[in-house]
Amino acid sequence: MNQTPDTAAPILVNAAFDSGNIEVLSIDGTRATLAIRRDNQSEFAQWFHFRVSGVAGRELDLAITGLNTSAYPDGWPGYSACVSEDRQLWTRAASDFDRGRDGGTLHIRHRPAGDVVWFAYFAPYSMDRHHDLVSEAAASPGVVHRTLGLSLDGQPIDCLDLGEGPLQVWLYARQHPGESMAEWWMEGALEALTDPADPHGRALRQACTFHIVPNCNPDGSARGHLRTNAVGVNLNREWHEPTAERAPEVLAIRNAMDATGVDFAMDVHGDEAIPAVFLAGFEGIPSLTDAQLAGYQRYRAILDRRTPDFQVRRGYPETRPGQGNLSMSTNQVAERFGAVAMTLEMPFKDNADLPDPLFGWSPERSKLLARECLAALLEWIDTRES
Ligand code: ZN
């Protein structure tokens, strides 16, 4: 005899896993009222990641409430939640934001095919996948792996060194752990740089020595934080005077930078509100030089020409002369080393100039963008005035 699913049974919502984050306020059949848990010892809340089971092909009606006091309330209008049934392919679920309901509510409606379905703010990049990424890269010819230090929870801060060239290039990501697209970007970058057949990777390894930190904040990643480490510290506000007590992650990375010097640096992030890929520079640092600024602008122009997924119209306002915040890594690295440093921002929503309603901004697009960023770096090097 056929078993039929219990169409009245309440769904189960759970977030007790790597990078899980949700609080269940109430469940009634297939309707759930939810809220996002704040980062430990901090006010930031925006990242969510949870599974729903007992679905059995029924239409889900999920309300994530209280979002007017989330870290970036402007992140919700025009945003659609990421959804997956196999945890490999992440598409977007029908979502809308109502500022007036329950303190700001993201309403998600979705009918999965199977019994278990996963939702997240962006396609997650697990710590397991991080270790796969690091180990596979470390096993590639010519790659040296270093543990720069330990996080407050005791996790390694992994760094991969490769290349033989004179230009010291630092690429680092996920200071803000909820910005998981940043580590998807890193996966694309490492695939290109460790592929013995990739022409950009080969030429870049001759011109540069790369130092790559795919995840600056493993504790926040595992804990399901948006923006902070284990004790609620925003790592990208610690670069002027990092301490072992508050931000050993930054202290370890900055000390390693001091040992190599830095010529070119990219700090990879995601932006909650702006539906575009953009760069932010270091215009406000005290010791800004014309050549340094021109180097940044030239890189940005090359990337703009190379890919329709990058643009220069949308972004953050430039900091006024002398007003640069040296607690932020891009400013600190530009000031400290005279480097061409930059913050790359990818959207949680989509690139509004080239939208994809099914996937939005995605892991695949993050990885392709990394390849374009590297190809732009090679062109930037090749076309430098000697
Ligand atoms: Zn960020």
Side-chain angles (χ1 to χ4, degrees), residues 163-169 203-211 260-264 381 384:
E164 303 85 41
L167 201 75
Q168 299 293 322
V169 176
L204 282 167
R205 290 199 305 274
Q206 292 170 11
C208 309
T209 301
F210 286 90
H211 312 280
T260 65
V262 184
D263 297 308
F264 182 98
I381 292 166
R384 273 186 305 184

Short mmCIF file of all heavy atoms in Angstrom, two decimals, residues 163-169 203-211 260-264 381 384:
data_model
loop_
_atom_site.label_atom_id
_atom_site.label_comp_id
_atom_site.label_asym_id
_atom_site.label_seq_id
_atom_site.Cartn_x
_atom_site.Cartn_y
_atom_site.Cartn_z
N GLY A 163 54.30 31.25 -7.21
CA GLY A 163 54.88 32.18 -8.17
C GLY A 163 56.31 32.52 -7.81
O GLY A 163 56.74 32.37 -6.67
N GLU A 164 57.04 33.00 -8.84
CA GLU A 164 58.47 33.30 -8.67
C GLU A 164 58.80 34.74 -9.00
O GLU A 164 59.97 35.11 -9.01
CB GLU A 164 59.30 32.40 -9.58
CG GLU A 164 59.10 30.90 -9.39
CD GLU A 164 57.92 30.35 -10.19
OE1 GLU A 164 57.75 30.77 -11.35
OE2 GLU A 164 57.18 29.53 -9.63
N GLY A 165 57.81 35.56 -9.30
CA GLY A 165 58.10 36.90 -9.80
C GLY A 165 58.36 37.92 -8.70
O GLY A 165 58.12 37.66 -7.53
N PRO A 166 58.85 39.08 -9.10
CA PRO A 166 59.23 40.11 -8.12
C PRO A 166 58.04 40.87 -7.52
O PRO A 166 58.17 41.45 -6.44
CB PRO A 166 60.11 41.06 -8.93
CG PRO A 166 59.65 40.90 -10.35
CD PRO A 166 59.23 39.47 -10.47
N LEU A 167 56.88 40.88 -8.17
CA LEU A 167 55.75 41.67 -7.68
C LEU A 167 55.04 40.89 -6.56
O LEU A 167 54.60 39.77 -6.76
CB LEU A 167 54.78 41.93 -8.84
CG LEU A 167 53.82 43.10 -8.66
CD1 LEU A 167 54.55 44.43 -8.86
CD2 LEU A 167 52.66 42.99 -9.65
N GLN A 168 54.95 41.50 -5.38
CA GLN A 168 54.31 40.84 -4.23
C GLN A 168 52.81 41.14 -4.26
O GLN A 168 52.39 42.29 -4.08
CB GLN A 168 54.93 41.34 -2.93
CG GLN A 168 56.41 41.06 -2.80
CD GLN A 168 56.72 39.57 -2.68
OE1 GLN A 168 56.00 38.82 -2.04
NE2 GLN A 168 57.81 39.14 -3.32
N VAL A 169 52.02 40.09 -4.49
CA VAL A 169 50.57 40.24 -4.64
C VAL A 169 49.87 39.50 -3.50
O VAL A 169 50.09 38.31 -3.30
CB VAL A 169 50.09 39.68 -6.00
CG1 VAL A 169 48.56 39.75 -6.10
CG2 VAL A 169 50.73 40.45 -7.15
N ALA A 203 51.65 33.02 -16.84
CA ALA A 203 52.36 34.30 -16.98
C ALA A 203 52.39 35.05 -15.65
O ALA A 203 53.39 35.70 -15.31
CB ALA A 203 51.68 35.14 -18.06
N LEU A 204 51.29 34.97 -14.89
CA LEU A 204 51.27 35.67 -13.60
C LEU A 204 52.25 35.04 -12.61
O LEU A 204 52.88 35.76 -11.82
CB LEU A 204 49.84 35.63 -13.02
CG LEU A 204 48.87 36.64 -13.65
CD1 LEU A 204 47.43 36.30 -13.24
CD2 LEU A 204 49.22 38.07 -13.24
N ARG A 205 52.40 33.74 -12.64
CA ARG A 205 53.35 33.10 -11.72
C ARG A 205 54.80 33.49 -12.05
O ARG A 205 55.66 33.49 -11.17
CB ARG A 205 53.21 31.58 -11.76
CG ARG A 205 51.91 31.07 -11.12
CD ARG A 205 52.00 29.58 -10.76
NE ARG A 205 52.35 28.73 -11.88
CZ ARG A 205 51.48 28.23 -12.76
NH1 ARG A 205 50.19 28.49 -12.64
NH2 ARG A 205 51.89 27.46 -13.74
N GLN A 206 55.04 33.86 -13.31
CA GLN A 206 56.39 34.36 -13.66
C GLN A 206 56.59 35.79 -13.19
O GLN A 206 57.70 36.19 -12.83
CB GLN A 206 56.60 34.28 -15.18
CG GLN A 206 56.68 32.86 -15.71
CD GLN A 206 56.65 32.81 -17.23
OE1 GLN A 206 56.76 33.82 -17.91
NE2 GLN A 206 56.48 31.61 -17.76
N ALA A 207 55.53 36.58 -13.21
CA ALA A 207 55.65 38.01 -12.91
C ALA A 207 55.49 38.32 -11.42
O ALA A 207 55.97 39.35 -10.96
CB ALA A 207 54.61 38.79 -13.71
N CYS A 208 54.81 37.45 -10.71
CA CYS A 208 54.38 37.78 -9.34
C CYS A 208 54.70 36.65 -8.37
O CYS A 208 54.84 35.49 -8.76
CB CYS A 208 52.86 37.97 -9.26
SG CYS A 208 52.15 39.09 -10.47
N THR A 209 54.80 37.01 -7.10
CA THR A 209 54.68 36.04 -6.02
C THR A 209 53.36 36.32 -5.31
O THR A 209 53.15 37.43 -4.81
CB THR A 209 55.85 36.13 -5.05
OG1 THR A 209 57.07 35.90 -5.76
CG2 THR A 209 55.72 35.11 -3.93
N PHE A 210 52.48 35.32 -5.33
CA PHE A 210 51.15 35.46 -4.73
C PHE A 210 51.14 34.94 -3.30
O PHE A 210 51.77 33.93 -2.98
CB PHE A 210 50.11 34.66 -5.53
CG PHE A 210 49.74 35.29 -6.84
CD1 PHE A 210 50.45 34.97 -7.99
CD2 PHE A 210 48.68 36.17 -6.92
CE1 PHE A 210 50.10 35.55 -9.20
CE2 PHE A 210 48.33 36.76 -8.13
CZ PHE A 210 49.05 36.45 -9.27
N HIS A 211 50.40 35.65 -2.46
CA HIS A 211 50.12 35.22 -1.09
C HIS A 211 48.61 35.29 -0.95
O HIS A 211 48.02 36.38 -1.05
CB HIS A 211 50.81 36.13 -0.09
CG HIS A 211 52.25 36.38 -0.42
ND1 HIS A 211 53.24 35.48 -0.13
CD2 HIS A 211 52.85 37.41 -1.08
CE1 HIS A 211 54.41 35.95 -0.57
NE2 HIS A 211 54.20 37.12 -1.16
N THR A 260 56.84 40.20 3.69
CA THR A 260 57.02 40.10 2.24
C THR A 260 57.00 41.46 1.56
O THR A 260 57.52 41.62 0.46
CB THR A 260 55.90 39.25 1.59
OG1 THR A 260 54.63 39.91 1.75
CG2 THR A 260 55.84 37.87 2.20
N GLY A 261 56.38 42.44 2.19
CA GLY A 261 56.02 43.66 1.48
C GLY A 261 54.80 43.40 0.61
O GLY A 261 54.41 42.24 0.39
N VAL A 262 54.17 44.47 0.14
CA VAL A 262 52.98 44.33 -0.69
C VAL A 262 53.07 45.35 -1.83
O VAL A 262 53.26 46.54 -1.59
CB VAL A 262 51.68 44.59 0.11
CG1 VAL A 262 50.45 44.35 -0.79
CG2 VAL A 262 51.60 43.73 1.36
N ASP A 263 52.94 44.88 -3.07
CA ASP A 263 52.86 45.79 -4.22
C ASP A 263 51.42 45.95 -4.71
O ASP A 263 51.02 47.03 -5.13
CB ASP A 263 53.72 45.23 -5.37
CG ASP A 263 55.18 45.18 -4.99
OD1 ASP A 263 55.72 46.21 -4.54
OD2 ASP A 263 55.79 44.10 -5.12
N PHE A 264 50.67 44.85 -4.69
CA PHE A 264 49.28 44.85 -5.19
C PHE A 264 48.48 44.01 -4.22
O PHE A 264 48.89 42.91 -3.83
CB PHE A 264 49.24 44.26 -6.59
CG PHE A 264 47.87 44.26 -7.24
CD1 PHE A 264 47.52 45.27 -8.14
CD2 PHE A 264 46.95 43.26 -6.95
CE1 PHE A 264 46.26 45.27 -8.74
CE2 PHE A 264 45.68 43.26 -7.55
CZ PHE A 264 45.35 44.27 -8.45
N ILE A 381 50.07 44.59 -15.46
CA ILE A 381 51.53 44.44 -15.35
C ILE A 381 52.18 44.66 -16.71
O ILE A 381 53.17 45.37 -16.85
CB ILE A 381 51.88 43.02 -14.80
CG1 ILE A 381 51.42 42.91 -13.35
CG2 ILE A 381 53.36 42.74 -14.92
CD1 ILE A 381 51.39 41.47 -12.84
N ARG A 384 52.34 48.37 -17.90
CA ARG A 384 52.95 49.40 -17.03
C ARG A 384 53.99 50.19 -17.79
O ARG A 384 54.75 49.63 -18.59
CB ARG A 384 53.63 48.74 -15.81
CG ARG A 384 52.71 48.50 -14.66
CD ARG A 384 53.50 47.99 -13.47
NE ARG A 384 54.27 46.78 -13.80
CZ ARG A 384 54.99 46.10 -12.92
NH1 ARG A 384 55.04 46.50 -11.66
NH2 ARG A 384 55.66 45.04 -13.28
#
